[in-house]
Amino acid sequence: MGGSTFEYFLKEKLSLGAELFYSPNGFSFDRNYQTSQSVNYQFRYNYLSVPLKIRYNLINMFEKRGHIFIKTGIAPSYLLRAKVKTTVYSENNEIIDKNEVIFNDNITKFDFAGLGEIGLSTKTSEKFVIYLSVMHKRSFNSFSTDEFFPDNQLKHNSFHIIWGLNFL
């Protein structure tokens, strides 16, 4: 995950924020076949995400130079690329075949998620704030379609550890 953030403080403890992020998601699994071959599937989804968040500072620390905060919000995202890498292994665990397919047209282009975050921030000077947080993001809509996992309602569900530097 990488991007930029804008935050507007309404009050000392309350702010509104907007972010612009490159956000990777994905999953992988192995499948064994009766032919004594196994296949590893790695699905990767890259999104441009625009999280909109409300921040509340729970505890002021270090003479108001640091805060423990919580954030909640929504994260609309647009699909940039979806791909699957497959690796076929023999029963001796030797690679038989590798393949990569981009399938942007087979899944939902728009993802809409809710999020919650908790973290710690501290001013290092009058111009800079560093922070560390943990965020959970969960999609409301499914990215599966009739062409892609038609019998499932697959949704992104992720945890992120975020660190950053803010300029004041």
Side-chain angles (χ1 to χ4, degrees), residues 52-65:
L52 305 171
K53 300 178 183 179
I54 297 172
R55 172 181 167 153
Y56 183 76
N57 292 330
L58 293 172
I59 300 171
N60 291 331
M61 305 175 306
F62 317 121
E63 299 172 4
K64 295 189 179 184
R65 291 183 62 100

Side-chain angles (χ1 to χ4, degrees), residues 85-112:
K85 288 183 181 181
T86 57
T87 306
V88 182
Y89 296 93
S90 70
E91 63 184 37
N92 298 329
N93 216 22
E94 295 172 349
I95 296 175
I96 297 172
D97 190 24
K98 284 185 168 185
N99 192 17
E100 183 176 306
V101 176
I102 295 174
F103 56 97
N104 292 358
D105 296 333
N106 296 348
I107 67 169
T108 306
K109 299 278 188 279
F110 182 73
D111 184 60
F112 188 70

Side-chain angles (χ1 to χ4, degrees), residues 23-166:
S23 180
N25 292 290
F27 62 95
S28 63
F29 65 90
D30 294 322
R31 174 162 278 164
N32 294 319
Y33 293 97
Q34 293 178 348
T35 61
S36 64
Q37 293 179 346
S38 65
V39 180
N40 174 264
Y41 298 91
Q42 293 183 347
F43 292 87
R44 298 292 176 250
Y45 310 94
N46 299 324
Y47 289 91
L48 183 62
S49 186
V50 184
L52 305 171
K53 300 178 183 179
I54 297 172
R55 172 181 167 153
Y56 183 76
N57 292 330
L58 293 172
I59 300 171
N60 291 331
M61 305 175 306
F62 317 121
E63 299 172 4
K64 295 189 179 184
R65 291 183 62 100
H67 304 280
I68 294 177
F69 62 85
I70 58 171
K71 293 182 181 181
T72 188
I74 57 171
S77 302
Y78 181 77
L79 179 71
L80 300 173
R81 185 171 75 172
K83 69 178 179 178
V84 61
K85 288 183 181 181
T86 57
T87 306
V88 182
Y89 296 93
S90 70
E91 63 184 37
N92 298 329
N93 216 22
E94 295 172 349
I95 296 175
I96 297 172
D97 190 24
K98 284 185 168 185
N99 192 17
E100 183 176 306
V101 176
I102 295 174
F103 56 97
N104 292 358
D105 296 333
N106 296 348
I107 67 169
T108 306
K109 299 278 188 279
F110 182 73
D111 184 60
F112 188 70
L115 59 88
E117 184 176 346
I118 186 164
L120 170 69
S121 67
T122 186
K123 276 187 177 181
T124 58
S125 70
E126 291 302 315
K127 297 277 185 188
F128 299 103
V129 173
I130 58 172
Y131 64 93
L132 176 66
S133 66
V134 176
M135 180 178 71
H136 177 238
K137 187 167 90 172
R138 184 173 182 94
S139 295
F140 296 124
N141 63 303
S142 172
F143 61 88
S144 54
T145 63
D146 290 340
E147 296 86 23
F148 182 75
F149 293 112
D151 297 330
N152 295 291
Q153 291 295 307
L154 300 176
K155 298 178 182 183
H156 295 296
N157 182 20
S158 59
F159 284 91
H160 303 270
I161 297 174
I162 303 167
W163 63 271
L165 176 66
N166 288 345

